[in-house]
Amino acid sequence: MLPRPYIFSHNDGPSSHLFQHVLPHNVSQQQRIEAHLNSTNNFIGPPMNAHRFIPTYQWTPVELSDVACSPNGPMGNNRKRRIQDNSDINLKRQRFSCPSPHNQSARNSNFTSQPVTRPVTGREVTCPTCSSATFIPGGCVPSLGETCHQNAFSPSSVKDKQSDDLEKKESCRAALQTDIQKIFPCAKVFLGGSSLNGFGSRSSDADLCLVIEEGPVNHRKDAVYVLSLVRKLLYKLSYIEKPQLIRAKVPIVKFRDRISGVEFDLNFNNTVGIRNTFLLRTYAFVEKRVRPLVLVIKKWANHHCINDASRGTLSSYTLVLMVLHYLQTLPEPVIPCLQRDYPTCFDPKMDIHLVPSGPSDIPAFVSRNQSSLGDLFLGFLRYYATVFKWDKQVISVRMARTLPKSNCKEWKDKFICVEEPFNRTNTARAVHERMKFEAIKAAFIESYRLLQLRKDLNFILPKSKQMARPQTAPR
């Protein structure tokens, strides 16, 4: 017998009493939720005090008990040849097949769902770690199903194009998930990275995370095995072109969407990328100066050829962490330390499906530091040109301070040390040549000298096709 079609009840959302849709039985849980969001097109939540900058992605977390899995194995019953039950390949396929409902809790034993402790809202509270600032009541991070407000730094035509770009990425993600589920019925594909965290531009690639089995993954074996199967599948899809398996420390499959022209990087079970996406997303909305400052600094770094990890310089993720660290460590901080002030909202062990809703009620931050964007940009250059000790210090956004550089393998003999906020690895490990390291330091020193002397951003930023820049020149 076929399972009964899903009917949205009054408990499915604040507006569900207005609609009652019957969906076919073969529609996935995520498609059902997305259909519900599209049909209601209504969001009720606290007002946001900071500007919203980018369109939001309709990704509603699903409960693990709602994930319906096919009883068949990941390859179905139509294999041309059978493999012995005791073979290594068959054992791997059994690992990534869908578990039965009574084994669901065992499958997620490595990811314990933690109840999210919401901060006090509806009244003004004092920052628990910094007496120099206060919080505004009400959550500052827009819901993933909510249409974002207008961005004061972007004209309406740019906002429309950004929304269209995000829709193209989401369309490819949804189609890809449907096709991957033909070989891995329990697979979920999540969009992450700069497409969602608020610090991307229209030219940014899209990062996808394929989640089949939650828990630790042997990247040398499991990830390469699964991504090899996915790569073979991509060759057969008419809307995908140039699939390529990259056997890096975190293996990925690179490909291009033939319809939209967007470049994608697909990883396997690298769920830390989903976690840091929503950490950075919260920082992007917690204070209205953060995102425009980061976008200008990324433009500056790209102009000076120090923003390309594949060429031995800084990745965009590392650069964003460097900016956040600077804003946290000012005498009057511009932003708080979210992981220290709200540890439950960013618990590294929180179930991956609950991560998007974790920071939903974190209030906006109002700093006593009212420096202009121009002054903050100049201060960023000054900090890394004259204050930060590259050979002795580790940048830590998790702790909102520098850590001493130890002799452990992660930091020893590394030119630049930037701590990943969740797994605490070095995000700047791509900088492994002294020549590239010296070029990065020189870019900071020379740009700081020119900007301090000339008071004109045109001396350190490209003069054509410039992004939105600070309106106030640094003093």
PDB file of all heavy atoms in Angstrom, residues 117-151:
ATOM      1  N   THR A 117      18.401  27.395  24.092  1.00  0.00           N
ATOM      2  CA  THR A 117      18.024  28.361  25.114  1.00  0.00           C
ATOM      3  C   THR A 117      17.911  29.736  24.475  1.00  0.00           C
ATOM      4  O   THR A 117      18.886  30.256  23.947  1.00  0.00           O
ATOM      5  CB  THR A 117      19.071  28.400  26.237  1.00  0.00           C
ATOM      6  OG1 THR A 117      19.194  27.092  26.797  1.00  0.00           O
ATOM      7  CG2 THR A 117      18.651  29.395  27.312  1.00  0.00           C
ATOM      8  N   ARG A 118      16.725  30.296  24.499  1.00  0.00           N
ATOM      9  CA  ARG A 118      16.497  31.577  23.848  1.00  0.00           C
ATOM     10  C   ARG A 118      16.869  32.720  24.784  1.00  0.00           C
ATOM     11  O   ARG A 118      16.592  32.671  25.978  1.00  0.00           O
ATOM     12  CB  ARG A 118      15.013  31.718  23.464  1.00  0.00           C
ATOM     13  CG  ARG A 118      14.513  30.567  22.603  1.00  0.00           C
ATOM     14  CD  ARG A 118      15.253  30.503  21.288  1.00  0.00           C
ATOM     15  NE  ARG A 118      14.721  29.437  20.442  1.00  0.00           N
ATOM     16  CZ  ARG A 118      15.264  29.056  19.309  1.00  0.00           C
ATOM     17  NH1 ARG A 118      16.359  29.639  18.881  1.00  0.00           N
ATOM     18  NH2 ARG A 118      14.728  28.093  18.601  1.00  0.00           N
ATOM     19  N   PRO A 119      17.508  33.760  24.246  1.00  0.00           N
ATOM     20  CA  PRO A 119      17.808  34.912  25.084  1.00  0.00           C
ATOM     21  C   PRO A 119      16.539  35.654  25.467  1.00  0.00           C
ATOM     22  O   PRO A 119      15.518  35.545  24.806  1.00  0.00           O
ATOM     23  CB  PRO A 119      18.708  35.779  24.184  1.00  0.00           C
ATOM     24  CG  PRO A 119      18.329  35.380  22.800  1.00  0.00           C
ATOM     25  CD  PRO A 119      17.970  33.923  22.874  1.00  0.00           C
ATOM     26  N   VAL A 120      16.636  36.430  26.542  1.00  0.00           N
ATOM     27  CA  VAL A 120      15.482  37.191  26.991  1.00  0.00           C
ATOM     28  C   VAL A 120      15.167  38.266  25.970  1.00  0.00           C
ATOM     29  O   VAL A 120      16.036  39.018  25.543  1.00  0.00           O
ATOM     30  CB  VAL A 120      15.777  37.834  28.362  1.00  0.00           C
ATOM     31  CG1 VAL A 120      14.598  38.684  28.817  1.00  0.00           C
ATOM     32  CG2 VAL A 120      16.086  36.735  29.378  1.00  0.00           C
ATOM     33  N   THR A 121      13.900  38.332  25.527  1.00  0.00           N
ATOM     34  CA  THR A 121      13.491  39.346  24.572  1.00  0.00           C
ATOM     35  C   THR A 121      12.393  40.196  25.190  1.00  0.00           C
ATOM     36  O   THR A 121      11.787  39.832  26.188  1.00  0.00           O
ATOM     37  CB  THR A 121      12.982  38.701  23.279  1.00  0.00           C
ATOM     38  OG1 THR A 121      11.888  37.830  23.614  1.00  0.00           O
ATOM     39  CG2 THR A 121      14.074  37.909  22.599  1.00  0.00           C
ATOM     40  N   GLY A 122      12.098  41.312  24.542  1.00  0.00           N
ATOM     41  CA  GLY A 122      11.037  42.180  25.014  1.00  0.00           C
ATOM     42  C   GLY A 122      11.504  43.244  26.000  1.00  0.00           C
ATOM     43  O   GLY A 122      10.716  44.064  26.427  1.00  0.00           O
ATOM     44  N   ARG A 123      12.769  43.216  26.356  1.00  0.00           N
ATOM     45  CA  ARG A 123      13.299  44.251  27.234  1.00  0.00           C
ATOM     46  C   ARG A 123      14.787  44.403  26.948  1.00  0.00           C
ATOM     47  O   ARG A 123      15.418  43.542  26.357  1.00  0.00           O
ATOM     48  CB  ARG A 123      13.092  43.893  28.705  1.00  0.00           C
ATOM     49  CG  ARG A 123      13.850  42.657  29.153  1.00  0.00           C
ATOM     50  CD  ARG A 123      13.540  42.302  30.596  1.00  0.00           C
ATOM     51  NE  ARG A 123      14.251  41.122  31.030  1.00  0.00           N
ATOM     52  CZ  ARG A 123      15.486  41.120  31.512  1.00  0.00           C
ATOM     53  NH1 ARG A 123      16.155  42.237  31.591  1.00  0.00           N
ATOM     54  NH2 ARG A 123      16.054  39.997  31.912  1.00  0.00           N
ATOM     55  N   GLU A 124      15.346  45.492  27.394  1.00  0.00           N
ATOM     56  CA  GLU A 124      16.760  45.737  27.150  1.00  0.00           C
ATOM     57  C   GLU A 124      17.592  45.006  28.188  1.00  0.00           C
ATOM     58  O   GLU A 124      17.306  45.040  29.375  1.00  0.00           O
ATOM     59  CB  GLU A 124      17.041  47.235  27.216  1.00  0.00           C
ATOM     60  CG  GLU A 124      18.467  47.586  26.802  1.00  0.00           C
ATOM     61  CD  GLU A 124      18.623  49.077  26.609  1.00  0.00           C
ATOM     62  OE1 GLU A 124      17.720  49.705  26.050  1.00  0.00           O
ATOM     63  OE2 GLU A 124      19.649  49.605  27.048  1.00  0.00           O
ATOM     64  N   VAL A 125      18.613  44.310  27.709  1.00  0.00           N
ATOM     65  CA  VAL A 125      19.493  43.575  28.608  1.00  0.00           C
ATOM     66  C   VAL A 125      20.927  44.018  28.372  1.00  0.00           C
ATOM     67  O   VAL A 125      21.257  44.564  27.337  1.00  0.00           O
ATOM     68  CB  VAL A 125      19.369  42.044  28.383  1.00  0.00           C
ATOM     69  CG1 VAL A 125      17.989  41.569  28.750  1.00  0.00           C
ATOM     70  CG2 VAL A 125      19.704  41.685  26.940  1.00  0.00           C
ATOM     71  N   THR A 126      21.779  43.753  29.346  1.00  0.00           N
ATOM     72  CA  THR A 126      23.189  44.133  29.253  1.00  0.00           C
ATOM     73  C   THR A 126      24.004  42.984  28.725  1.00  0.00           C
ATOM     74  O   THR A 126      23.761  41.829  29.051  1.00  0.00           O
ATOM     75  CB  THR A 126      23.720  44.529  30.646  1.00  0.00           C
ATOM     76  OG1 THR A 126      22.899  45.567  31.160  1.00  0.00           O
ATOM     77  CG2 THR A 126      25.162  45.001  30.552  1.00  0.00           C
ATOM     78  N   CYS A 127      24.965  43.302  27.863  1.00  0.00           N
ATOM     79  CA  CYS A 127      25.859  42.275  27.325  1.00  0.00           C
ATOM     80  C   CYS A 127      26.555  41.553  28.475  1.00  0.00           C
ATOM     81  O   CYS A 127      27.152  42.198  29.343  1.00  0.00           O
ATOM     82  CB  CYS A 127      26.890  42.919  26.413  1.00  0.00           C
ATOM     83  SG  CYS A 127      28.218  41.822  25.909  1.00  0.00           S
ATOM     84  N   PRO A 128      26.501  40.199  28.511  1.00  0.00           N
ATOM     85  CA  PRO A 128      27.063  39.480  29.650  1.00  0.00           C
ATOM     86  C   PRO A 128      28.579  39.526  29.747  1.00  0.00           C
ATOM     87  O   PRO A 128      29.142  39.198  30.775  1.00  0.00           O
ATOM     88  CB  PRO A 128      26.570  38.053  29.420  1.00  0.00           C
ATOM     89  CG  PRO A 128      26.331  37.964  27.952  1.00  0.00           C
ATOM     90  CD  PRO A 128      25.868  39.316  27.529  1.00  0.00           C
ATOM     91  N   THR A 129      29.252  39.936  28.658  1.00  0.00           N
ATOM     92  CA  THR A 129      30.712  39.896  28.683  1.00  0.00           C
ATOM     93  C   THR A 129      31.357  41.247  28.429  1.00  0.00           C
ATOM     94  O   THR A 129      32.562  41.385  28.565  1.00  0.00           O
ATOM     95  CB  THR A 129      31.238  38.900  27.631  1.00  0.00           C
ATOM     96  OG1 THR A 129      30.785  39.324  26.342  1.00  0.00           O
ATOM     97  CG2 THR A 129      30.749  37.499  27.919  1.00  0.00           C
ATOM     98  N   CYS A 130      30.564  42.227  28.019  1.00  0.00           N
ATOM     99  CA  CYS A 130      31.154  43.525  27.683  1.00  0.00           C
ATOM    100  C   CYS A 130      30.265  44.629  28.232  1.00  0.00           C
ATOM    101  O   CYS A 130      29.152  44.821  27.771  1.00  0.00           O
ATOM    102  CB  CYS A 130      31.312  43.674  26.173  1.00  0.00           C
ATOM    103  SG  CYS A 130      31.890  45.300  25.674  1.00  0.00           S
ATOM    104  N   SER A 131      30.749  45.364  29.191  1.00  0.00           N
ATOM    105  CA  SER A 131      29.952  46.407  29.820  1.00  0.00           C
ATOM    106  C   SER A 131      29.802  47.633  28.944  1.00  0.00           C
ATOM    107  O   SER A 131      29.054  48.547  29.263  1.00  0.00           O
ATOM    108  CB  SER A 131      30.588  46.817  31.153  1.00  0.00           C
ATOM    109  OG  SER A 131      31.922  47.287  30.935  1.00  0.00           O
ATOM    110  N   SER A 132      30.496  47.652  27.801  1.00  0.00           N
ATOM    111  CA  SER A 132      30.478  48.848  26.970  1.00  0.00           C
ATOM    112  C   SER A 132      29.364  48.836  25.950  1.00  0.00           C
ATOM    113  O   SER A 132      29.294  49.716  25.114  1.00  0.00           O
ATOM    114  CB  SER A 132      31.818  48.984  26.236  1.00  0.00           C
ATOM    115  OG  SER A 132      32.002  47.906  25.338  1.00  0.00           O
ATOM    116  N   ALA A 133      28.497  47.817  25.954  1.00  0.00           N
ATOM    117  CA  ALA A 133      27.467  47.746  24.927  1.00  0.00           C
ATOM    118  C   ALA A 133      26.210  47.123  25.502  1.00  0.00           C
ATOM    119  O   ALA A 133      26.234  46.468  26.534  1.00  0.00           O
ATOM    120  CB  ALA A 133      27.974  46.941  23.732  1.00  0.00           C
ATOM    121  N   THR A 134      25.117  47.336  24.797  1.00  0.00           N
ATOM    122  CA  THR A 134      23.846  46.740  25.188  1.00  0.00           C
ATOM    123  C   THR A 134      23.227  46.039  23.996  1.00  0.00           C
ATOM    124  O   THR A 134      23.638  46.259  22.848  1.00  0.00           O
ATOM    125  CB  THR A 134      22.868  47.802  25.702  1.00  0.00           C
ATOM    126  OG1 THR A 134      22.683  48.786  24.679  1.00  0.00           O
ATOM    127  CG2 THR A 134      23.374  48.458  26.968  1.00  0.00           C
ATOM    128  N   PHE A 135      22.220  45.201  24.250  1.00  0.00           N
ATOM    129  CA  PHE A 135      21.521  44.486  23.205  1.00  0.00           C
ATOM    130  C   PHE A 135      20.137  45.071  23.000  1.00  0.00           C
ATOM    131  O   PHE A 135      19.490  45.493  23.957  1.00  0.00           O
ATOM    132  CB  PHE A 135      21.375  42.999  23.559  1.00  0.00           C
ATOM    133  CG  PHE A 135      22.639  42.228  23.432  1.00  0.00           C
ATOM    134  CD1 PHE A 135      23.339  41.823  24.562  1.00  0.00           C
ATOM    135  CD2 PHE A 135      23.136  41.895  22.195  1.00  0.00           C
ATOM    136  CE1 PHE A 135      24.507  41.107  24.443  1.00  0.00           C
ATOM    137  CE2 PHE A 135      24.311  41.181  22.070  1.00  0.00           C
ATOM    138  CZ  PHE A 135      24.993  40.787  23.188  1.00  0.00           C
ATOM    139  N   ILE A 136      19.682  45.078  21.771  1.00  0.00           N
ATOM    140  CA  ILE A 136      18.320  45.490  21.461  1.00  0.00           C
ATOM    141  C   ILE A 136      17.433  44.254  21.549  1.00  0.00           C
ATOM    142  O   ILE A 136      17.814  43.189  21.051  1.00  0.00           O
ATOM    143  CB  ILE A 136      18.235  46.093  20.046  1.00  0.00           C
ATOM    144  CG1 ILE A 136      18.933  47.447  20.022  1.00  0.00           C
ATOM    145  CG2 ILE A 136      16.792  46.252  19.607  1.00  0.00           C
ATOM    146  CD1 ILE A 136      18.911  48.107  18.684  1.00  0.00           C
ATOM    147  N   PRO A 137      16.241  44.339  22.140  1.00  0.00           N
ATOM    148  CA  PRO A 137      15.371  43.173  22.229  1.00  0.00           C
ATOM    149  C   PRO A 137      14.859  42.746  20.861  1.00  0.00           C
ATOM    150  O   PRO A 137      14.713  43.558  19.956  1.00  0.00           O
ATOM    151  CB  PRO A 137      14.222  43.660  23.128  1.00  0.00           C
ATOM    152  CG  PRO A 137      14.233  45.142  22.980  1.00  0.00           C
ATOM    153  CD  PRO A 137      15.662  45.517  22.802  1.00  0.00           C
ATOM    154  N   GLY A 138      14.577  41.452  20.719  1.00  0.00           N
ATOM    155  CA  GLY A 138      14.076  40.927  19.458  1.00  0.00           C
ATOM    156  C   GLY A 138      15.180  40.325  18.628  1.00  0.00           C
ATOM    157  O   GLY A 138      16.308  40.804  18.605  1.00  0.00           O
ATOM    158  N   GLY A 139      14.900  39.222  17.929  1.00  0.00           N
ATOM    159  CA  GLY A 139      15.902  38.544  17.116  1.00  0.00           C
ATOM    160  C   GLY A 139      16.321  39.386  15.926  1.00  0.00           C
ATOM    161  O   GLY A 139      15.497  40.002  15.253  1.00  0.00           O
ATOM    162  N   CYS A 140      17.613  39.416  15.626  1.00  0.00           N
ATOM    163  CA  CYS A 140      18.118  40.242  14.525  1.00  0.00           C
ATOM    164  C   CYS A 140      18.309  39.450  13.246  1.00  0.00           C
ATOM    165  O   CYS A 140      18.429  40.023  12.174  1.00  0.00           O
ATOM    166  CB  CYS A 140      19.443  40.891  14.924  1.00  0.00           C
ATOM    167  SG  CYS A 140      20.813  39.724  15.069  1.00  0.00           S
ATOM    168  N   VAL A 141      18.347  38.119  13.332  1.00  0.00           N
ATOM    169  CA  VAL A 141      18.624  37.296  12.155  1.00  0.00           C
ATOM    170  C   VAL A 141      17.310  36.922  11.496  1.00  0.00           C
ATOM    171  O   VAL A 141      16.450  36.306  12.129  1.00  0.00           O
ATOM    172  CB  VAL A 141      19.404  36.025  12.535  1.00  0.00           C
ATOM    173  CG1 VAL A 141      19.741  35.225  11.296  1.00  0.00           C
ATOM    174  CG2 VAL A 141      20.669  36.397  13.291  1.00  0.00           C
ATOM    175  N   PRO A 142      17.100  37.277  10.226  1.00  0.00           N
ATOM    176  CA  PRO A 142      15.835  36.947   9.569  1.00  0.00           C
ATOM    177  C   PRO A 142      15.671  35.458   9.382  1.00  0.00           C
ATOM    178  O   PRO A 142      16.640  34.728   9.204  1.00  0.00           O
ATOM    179  CB  PRO A 142      15.934  37.672   8.221  1.00  0.00           C
ATOM    180  CG  PRO A 142      17.399  37.801   7.976  1.00  0.00           C
ATOM    181  CD  PRO A 142      18.027  37.973   9.332  1.00  0.00           C
ATOM    182  N   SER A 143      14.432  35.000   9.438  1.00  0.00           N
ATOM    183  CA  SER A 143      14.145  33.599   9.189  1.00  0.00           C
ATOM    184  C   SER A 143      14.497  33.240   7.757  1.00  0.00           C
ATOM    185  O   SER A 143      14.442  34.073   6.855  1.00  0.00           O
ATOM    186  CB  SER A 143      12.664  33.316   9.449  1.00  0.00           C
ATOM    187  OG  SER A 143      12.285  32.060   8.938  1.00  0.00           O
ATOM    188  N   LEU A 144      14.830  31.976   7.536  1.00  0.00           N
ATOM    189  CA  LEU A 144      15.181  31.537   6.193  1.00  0.00           C
ATOM    190  C   LEU A 144      13.982  31.534   5.256  1.00  0.00           C
ATOM    191  O   LEU A 144      14.133  31.461   4.047  1.00  0.00           O
ATOM    192  CB  LEU A 144      15.795  30.134   6.253  1.00  0.00           C
ATOM    193  CG  LEU A 144      17.162  30.088   6.903  1.00  0.00           C
ATOM    194  CD1 LEU A 144      17.623  28.663   7.058  1.00  0.00           C
ATOM    195  CD2 LEU A 144      18.171  30.892   6.133  1.00  0.00           C
ATOM    196  N   GLY A 145      12.785  31.577   5.810  1.00  0.00           N
ATOM    197  CA  GLY A 145      11.603  31.651   4.969  1.00  0.00           C
ATOM    198  C   GLY A 145      11.063  33.055   4.809  1.00  0.00           C
ATOM    199  O   GLY A 145      10.033  33.254   4.202  1.00  0.00           O
ATOM    200  N   GLU A 146      11.787  34.033   5.339  1.00  0.00           N
ATOM    201  CA  GLU A 146      11.311  35.413   5.330  1.00  0.00           C
ATOM    202  C   GLU A 146      11.977  36.193   4.218  1.00  0.00           C
ATOM    203  O   GLU A 146      13.158  36.033   3.944  1.00  0.00           O
ATOM    204  CB  GLU A 146      11.636  36.062   6.675  1.00  0.00           C
ATOM    205  CG  GLU A 146      11.201  37.524   6.767  1.00  0.00           C
ATOM    206  CD  GLU A 146      11.706  38.158   8.039  1.00  0.00           C
ATOM    207  OE1 GLU A 146      12.477  37.495   8.745  1.00  0.00           O
ATOM    208  OE2 GLU A 146      11.342  39.304   8.310  1.00  0.00           O
ATOM    209  N   THR A 147      11.229  37.048   3.577  1.00  0.00           N
ATOM    210  CA  THR A 147      11.788  37.935   2.565  1.00  0.00           C
ATOM    211  C   THR A 147      12.546  39.048   3.247  1.00  0.00           C
ATOM    212  O   THR A 147      12.031  39.700   4.139  1.00  0.00           O
ATOM    213  CB  THR A 147      10.675  38.532   1.690  1.00  0.00           C
ATOM    214  OG1 THR A 147       9.958  37.454   1.094  1.00  0.00           O
ATOM    215  CG2 THR A 147      11.250  39.420   0.605  1.00  0.00           C
ATOM    216  N   CYS A 148      13.793  39.248   2.814  1.00  0.00           N
ATOM    217  CA  CYS A 148      14.635  40.215   3.512  1.00  0.00           C
ATOM    218  C   CYS A 148      14.234  41.644   3.193  1.00  0.00           C
ATOM    219  O   CYS A 148      13.650  41.936   2.164  1.00  0.00           O
ATOM    220  CB  CYS A 148      16.101  40.000   3.134  1.00  0.00           C
ATOM    221  SG  CYS A 148      16.449  40.257   1.403  1.00  0.00           S
ATOM    222  N   HIS A 149      14.560  42.536   4.108  1.00  0.00           N
ATOM    223  CA  HIS A 149      14.316  43.958   3.902  1.00  0.00           C
ATOM    224  C   HIS A 149      15.345  44.518   2.920  1.00  0.00           C
ATOM    225  O   HIS A 149      16.312  43.869   2.554  1.00  0.00           O
ATOM    226  CB  HIS A 149      14.400  44.710   5.230  1.00  0.00           C
ATOM    227  CG  HIS A 149      13.260  44.403   6.143  1.00  0.00           C
ATOM    228  ND1 HIS A 149      11.985  44.786   5.871  1.00  0.00           N
ATOM    229  CD2 HIS A 149      13.217  43.731   7.324  1.00  0.00           C
ATOM    230  CE1 HIS A 149      11.188  44.395   6.854  1.00  0.00           C
ATOM    231  NE2 HIS A 149      11.920  43.745   7.739  1.00  0.00           N
ATOM    232  N   GLN A 150      15.114  45.749   2.538  1.00  0.00           N
ATOM    233  CA  GLN A 150      15.986  46.371   1.562  1.00  0.00           C
ATOM    234  C   GLN A 150      17.321  46.722   2.193  1.00  0.00           C
ATOM    235  O   GLN A 150      17.415  47.067   3.362  1.00  0.00           O
ATOM    236  CB  GLN A 150      15.322  47.643   1.016  1.00  0.00           C
ATOM    237  CG  GLN A 150      14.000  47.380   0.315  1.00  0.00           C
ATOM    238  CD  GLN A 150      14.149  46.472  -0.878  1.00  0.00           C
ATOM    239  OE1 GLN A 150      15.071  46.647  -1.666  1.00  0.00           O
ATOM    240  NE2 GLN A 150      13.292  45.508  -1.029  1.00  0.00           N
ATOM    241  N   ASN A 151      18.354  46.663   1.382  1.00  0.00           N
ATOM    242  CA  ASN A 151      19.703  46.990   1.843  1.00  0.00           C
ATOM    243  C   ASN A 151      20.042  48.414   1.454  1.00  0.00           C
ATOM    244  O   ASN A 151      19.999  48.775   0.285  1.00  0.00           O
ATOM    245  CB  ASN A 151      20.691  46.010   1.194  1.00  0.00           C
ATOM    246  CG  ASN A 151      22.132  46.356   1.498  1.00  0.00           C
ATOM    247  OD1 ASN A 151      22.418  47.155   2.374  1.00  0.00           O
ATOM    248  ND2 ASN A 151      23.033  45.744   0.769  1.00  0.00           N
TER     249      ASN A 151
END
